[in-house]
Amino acid sequence: MEPKKNPKANVGRNSSLFFAIGLALMLFLTNYAINYKTYDKELIDIGTLDMGEELEEEVPITETIATPPPPPPPPAAPEVIEIVEDDEEVEETVIESTETSQEEEIVEIEEVEVEEVEEIEEVPFAVIENVPVFPGCESGNNEAKKACMNKKMNDFIAKKFNTDLAQELGLSGIQQIRVFFKIDKNGDIVDVKARAPHPSLEKEAMRVIGLLPKMKPGKQRGKAVRVPYYLPIKFQVQD
């Protein structure tokens, strides 16, 4: 009986190659199983506070005064001038002399007190010579103090503002609040105003601005002035 296999065939010729492929496949599956992770989808961040881009300063628009038009030219003189006889007698007006004599008594005039009116001066934050100084921003030039003040403001609002309030009110998405206030000549915060999608957010923004510390007032030409300031507050509410 003849054998079916070729006696010259080498069965173990590719055994090392098959062993290497199997070993690499097993290492890949083991590494994938070790690094595989799962996450709990129910954990949702209720909100993050984002102060937005660099603060924008609103510069007041100066009213342009229109120049009145020139007066119309005088009418042209008539070619023929008619002479009209005037028969009416004109009574001359006698102008009396205003000179005083030595016998006339001189009436004394009491001194008039003039009340000084205090001028209210305001200079925008972007163009003031010496910006208001936030506590901790005393060093550096004017631009360095501006940058330091903006950063301190952002950190203060992020720490004090209650972002959970928007979710409690049923709001969602990006919420933006515009806050306007002034730093007076004494360094106090005055005239605080806010605009928000909900009145409760406006009250919260005004509450936080009222907690700002007293600052060193801004100066223009060496004189303390009031400085308007605009502060946007923006944050994301996730469902």
Side-chain angles (χ1 to χ4, degrees):
M1 183 175 181
E2 297 180 359
K4 294 182 179 181
K5 294 183 179 181
N6 188 0
K8 296 181 180 182
N10 187 5
V11 180
R13 181 178 53 183
N14 297 325
S15 60
S16 60
L17 177 62
F18 295 150
F19 177 77
I21 293 173
L23 181 60
L25 181 60
M26 291 301 296
L27 290 175
F28 173 76
L29 293 176
T30 303
N31 182 51
Y32 178 78
I34 292 173
N35 294 327
Y36 181 74
K37 295 182 180 180
T38 59
Y39 298 91
D40 189 359
K41 297 182 179 180
E42 294 181 356
L43 297 178
I44 300 175
D45 188 10
I46 60 175
T48 57
L49 181 64
D50 182 12
M51 299 310 299
E53 300 177 356
E54 185 179 357
L55 298 180
E56 300 176 357
E57 179 67 19
E58 294 185 357
V59 180
I61 301 174
T62 306
E63 181 181 359
T64 304
I65 301 175
T67 305
E79 296 179 359
V80 180
I81 301 175
E82 296 181 0
I83 300 175
V84 180
E85 295 181 0
D86 189 3
D87 296 335
E88 295 183 1
E89 294 181 359
V90 179
E91 184 177 355
E92 296 181 358
T93 304
V94 179
I95 302 174
E96 297 181 357
S97 176
T98 58
E99 296 181 359
T100 59
S101 62
Q102 295 180 355
E103 298 177 356
E104 187 175 355
E105 296 181 358
I106 299 175
V107 180
E108 295 182 359
I109 301 175
E110 298 179 357
E111 295 182 358
V112 180
E113 296 182 359
V114 180
E115 297 182 358
E116 296 181 358
V117 180
E118 184 180 359
E119 296 182 358
I120 301 176
E121 299 179 1
E122 288 186 4
V123 181
F125 182 77
V127 297
I128 191 170
E129 293 178 354
N130 300 105
V131 296
V133 179
F134 197 94
C137 299
E138 291 79 8
S139 61
N141 56 12
N142 208 42
E143 294 300 324
K145 291 178 181 178
K146 284 183 180 180
C148 180
M149 180 175 178
N150 293 336
K151 184 179 182 304
K152 293 280 187 181
M153 285 276 193
N154 292 343
D155 295 341
F156 186 89
I157 298 299
K159 183 179 180 181
K160 299 293 184 179
F161 193 90
N162 182 16
T163 56
D164 297 337
L165 181 61
Q167 189 177 25
E168 294 174 1
L169 296 172
L171 302 176
S172 61
I174 298 176
Q175 304 298 318
Q176 185 169 2
I177 307 171
R178 300 175 182 271
V179 183
F180 306 87
F181 60 90
K182 295 178 182 179
I183 305 169
D184 67 3
K185 297 179 180 181
N186 299 321
D188 297 324
I189 305 298
V190 297
D191 298 341
V192 183
K193 298 178 182 178
R195 298 177 184 174
H198 196 280
S200 297
L201 292 179
E202 294 179 357
K203 292 180 181 179
E204 175 64 12
M206 296 176 68
R207 181 191 70 83
V208 174
I209 295 301
L211 299 176
L212 287 172
K214 187 180 181 69
M215 307 180 195
K216 183 178 179 181
K219 292 184 178 181
Q220 186 74 9
R221 297 180 181 177
K223 183 179 179 181
V225 294
R226 296 172 62 177
V227 181
Y229 196 88
Y230 164 68
L231 178 63
I233 301 175
K234 184 169 64 174
F235 61 93
Q236 173 78 31
V237 180
Q238 297 181 357
D239 298 335

